[in-house]
């Protein structure tokens, strides 16, 4: 049915459940699974972000934080992969850095996937209630089918 599925993961139980659903869809169908973990960019002014003075971080400090965020994304990807049996499936894993919804939609377009399978909620439920969830944003702008898993 599906030739390729993009599965954004953030290490949450919801993303692991979405990967499980994607694995079920892929079994016996020669479907390629593309796992994507997104590390956001550090904000431009960490002083304000942390409630401190409005003094900007140095570029070196921002790069250290960006590297730590990429490492967190890699660990989130590993946590989710360890929860789901992917034996015998064609799986590719990617780490990208940027705004999550934007990166997900860009990678879906780049790979020409048939569908995105993602959790309805991730690690930041409170933030999602305030500014909209990543899955909500993706479902409104993606060119392909978006399957949200609760």
């Amino acid at each position: 049915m599906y030739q390729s599925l993009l599965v954004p993961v953030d290490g949450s139980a919801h993303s692991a459940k979405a990967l499980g659903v994607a694995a079920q869809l892929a079994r016996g169908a020669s479907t390629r699974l593309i796992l994507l973990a997104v590390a956001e960019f550090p904000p431009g002014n960490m002083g304000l972000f942390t409630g401190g003075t409005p003094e900007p971080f140095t570029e070196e400090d921002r790069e250290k934080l960006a590297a730590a965020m990429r490492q967190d994304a890699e660990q989130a990807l590993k946590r989710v992969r360890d929860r789901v049996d992917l034996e015998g499936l064609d799986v590719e894993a990617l780490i990208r850095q940027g705004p999550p919804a934007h990166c997900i939609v860009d990678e879906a377009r780049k790979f020409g996937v048939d569908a995105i399978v993602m959790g309805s909620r991730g690690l930041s439920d409170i933030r999602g209630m305030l500014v909209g969830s990543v899955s909500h944003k993706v479902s409104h702008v993606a060119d392909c089918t978006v399957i949200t898993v609760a």
Side-chain angles (χ1 to χ4, degrees):
M1 180 172 181
Y2 295 109
Q3 297 297 310
S4 59
L5 299 171
L6 178 68
V7 186
V9 297
D10 63 4
S12 69
H14 288 279
S15 67
K17 190 172 180 183
L19 179 55
V21 169
Q24 287 176 341
L25 291 170
R27 291 218 184 276
S30 300
T31 301
R32 178 180 183 203
L33 292 179
I34 303 164
L35 311 185
L36 174 65
V38 179
E40 293 191 56
F41 284 122
N45 192 329
M46 282 301 293
L48 290 176
F49 178 71
T50 60
T53 62
E55 296 180 23
F57 258 17
T58 65
E59 191 56 38
E60 181 182 338
D61 291 336
R62 280 180 47 80
E63 186 49 45
K64 284 181 186 175
L65 184 57
M69 294 171 102
R70 284 190 299 272
Q71 186 175 27
D72 289 347
E74 289 172 10
Q75 291 173 353
L77 184 59
K78 182 181 179 337
R79 274 195 312 274
V80 171
R81 283 187 83 153
D82 288 347
R83 290 181 175 173
V84 178
D85 177 19
L86 300 174
E87 185 71 32
L89 297 176
D90 179 9
V91 179
E92 179 178 351
L94 308 169
I95 306 289
R96 296 292 183 258
Q97 194 151 20
H102 181 77
C103 288
I104 292 165
V105 171
D106 280 354
E107 292 301 316
R109 286 181 182 139
K110 176 181 162 186
F111 285 99
V113 299
D114 298 310
I116 300 168
V117 182
M118 62 189 303
S120 60
R121 292 181 298 278
L123 293 173
S124 59
D125 288 338
I126 293 172
R127 182 175 169 218
M129 286 188 286
L130 297 174
V131 297
S133 70
V134 172
S135 61
H136 181 79
K137 291 174 187 174
V138 168
S139 69
H140 280 78
V141 298
D143 297 329
C144 62
T145 300
V146 178
I147 301 168
T148 54
V149 179

